[in-house]
Amino acid sequence: MGKLDLVTIVIIVANVIISYKGFGDFGFFEKYKFNVGAVQRGEKVRLFSSGFLHVDNAHLFFNMFSLYFFAEVVINLMSVSSFIIIYVGSLLMGSLVSLYFHKQEYHYSAVGASGAVMGIIYAAILLQPGMSLYIFFIPIPIPAYIFGIGYLLYSIYGMKKSLGNIGHDAHVGGAVGGYILTLILAPWLLKTNLFMIVLLAIPIVLLYVLKKAGKM
């Protein structure tokens, strides 16, 4: 079993075990989900624990399926330790951004590894911007950077319009976390992939501008 298999499987197994515990134990789910009021009362563990809970099998599968395919790029081009730092850091950044945008909504709750996974996706795109992705129901490959930018723009739009029962702000926070941590851990990208770094920063700058203008 290679390094990729080990670290990825450990994270996936942890997500499956904790999520299934939450599926069958409402008290456990309520105790460890992200909740603004509880976090503000001092239950900071929820910023982390909520990233291992999911609402159902489809939610869990989509996140773990995405993680499996992008983890290899980050581990192979960086290291296992860098992958773990980006995963955990993006998870926490996703929770912190959710807390920031919903700090007045004491009943706001969320769960899922989406922030952590978005961080890994953004890291993988920075490291290998030329790779292509196949998306469900779309028969042609999509350049990874198009997917990354498009998904983040959609998440910002989702935040603005409060679309669906989805933690769009956690997606955005995770992507920002992955972007920043990858550049800190792999500064050589500033020389080799500068254009892509600037391109991927566009949605992040847009979010900042919208927030400063009071439109978020």
Side-chain angles (χ1 to χ4, degrees), residues 7-8 11-12 14-15 46-54 59-60 62-72 74-75 82-98 110-125 147 151-152 155 167-182:
V7 71
T8 305
I11 291 175
I12 290 174
N15 271 275
R46 292 173 182 260
L47 295 171
F48 179 75
S49 61
S50 59
F52 291 87
L53 290 168
H54 291 80
H59 187 207
L60 174 63
F62 182 78
N63 276 335
M64 296 302 99
F65 184 76
S66 301
L67 174 65
Y68 178 80
F69 280 101
F70 286 98
E72 180 178 8
V74 179
I75 292 171
S82 293
F83 168 78
I84 294 171
I85 290 170
I86 293 169
Y87 186 90
V88 174
S90 299
L91 189 164
L92 293 173
M93 180 65 84
S95 293
L96 289 171
V97 169
S98 293
V111 294
S114 301
V117 174
M118 273 303 297
I120 294 300
I121 290 174
Y122 238 59
I125 294 170
F147 170 80
Y151 192 84
L152 201 53
S155 294
H168 296 288
D169 30 29
H171 296 171
V172 173
V176 172
Y179 181 88
I180 294 171
L181 288 169
T182 301

Side-chain angles (χ1 to χ4, degrees), residues 1 25 35 41-42 66 107 130-131 208 213:
M1 182 180 293
D25 186 338
N35 174 264
R41 289 193 301 270
S66 301
H107 296 292
M131 64 181 175
Y208 175 79

Side-chain angles (χ1 to χ4, degrees), residues 124-133 142-145 193 196:
I125 294 170
L126 281 170
L127 291 162
Q128 199 171 85
M131 64 181 175
S132 296
L133 309 175
I142 298 174
Y145 67 91
N193 290 343
M196 194 55 57

Side-chain angles (χ1 to χ4, degrees), residues 1-203:
M1 182 180 293
K3 290 181 178 180
L4 164 66
D5 292 331
L6 180 59
V7 71
T8 305
I9 288 174
V10 165
I11 291 175
I12 290 174
V13 167
N15 271 275
V16 170
I17 291 174
I18 295 171
S19 291
Y20 269 84
K21 172 66 174 174
F23 293 163
D25 186 338
F26 180 75
F28 178 86
F29 185 88
E30 288 294 304
K31 182 177 180 180
Y32 292 108
K33 72 180 182 181
F34 173 84
N35 174 264
V36 171
V39 171
Q40 291 181 343
R41 289 193 301 270
E43 297 177 33
K44 300 295 192 294
V45 68
R46 292 173 182 260
L47 295 171
F48 179 75
S49 61
S50 59
F52 291 87
L53 290 168
H54 291 80
V55 294
D56 54 32
N57 283 315
H59 187 207
L60 174 63
F61 173 78
F62 182 78
N63 276 335
M64 296 302 99
F65 184 76
S66 301
L67 174 65
Y68 178 80
F69 280 101
F70 286 98
E72 180 178 8
V73 176
V74 179
I75 292 171
N76 287 348
L77 296 180
M78 295 180 75
S79 67
V80 171
S81 59
S82 293
F83 168 78
I84 294 171
I85 290 170
I86 293 169
Y87 186 90
V88 174
S90 299
L91 189 164
L92 293 173
M93 180 65 84
S95 293
L96 289 171
V97 169
S98 293
L99 182 64
Y100 176 74
F101 278 97
H102 298 279
K103 56 181 176 288
Q104 302 301 327
E105 303 168 46
Y106 301 115
H107 296 292
Y108 180 85
S109 299
V111 294
S114 301
V117 174
M118 273 303 297
I120 294 300
I121 290 174
Y122 238 59
I125 294 170
L126 281 170
L127 291 162
Q128 199 171 85
M131 64 181 175
S132 296
L133 309 175
Y134 284 91
I135 311 299
F136 295 117
F137 309 118
I138 300 177
I140 58 173
I142 298 174
Y145 67 91
I146 296 294
F147 170 80
I149 293 170
Y151 192 84
L152 201 53
L153 288 172
Y154 168 74
S155 294
I156 292 171
Y157 178 76
M159 288 172 64
K160 186 173 173 60
K161 299 294 185 181
S162 299
L163 293 179
N165 189 27
I166 300 172
H168 296 288
D169 30 29
H171 296 171
V172 173
V176 172
Y179 181 88
I180 294 171
L181 288 169
T182 301
L183 294 180
I184 291 172
L185 295 168
W188 66 84
L189 292 173
L190 292 167
K191 293 183 178 179
T192 60
N193 290 343
L194 183 58
F195 176 73
M196 194 55 57
I197 289 170
V198 173
L199 201 60
L200 289 170
I202 290 173

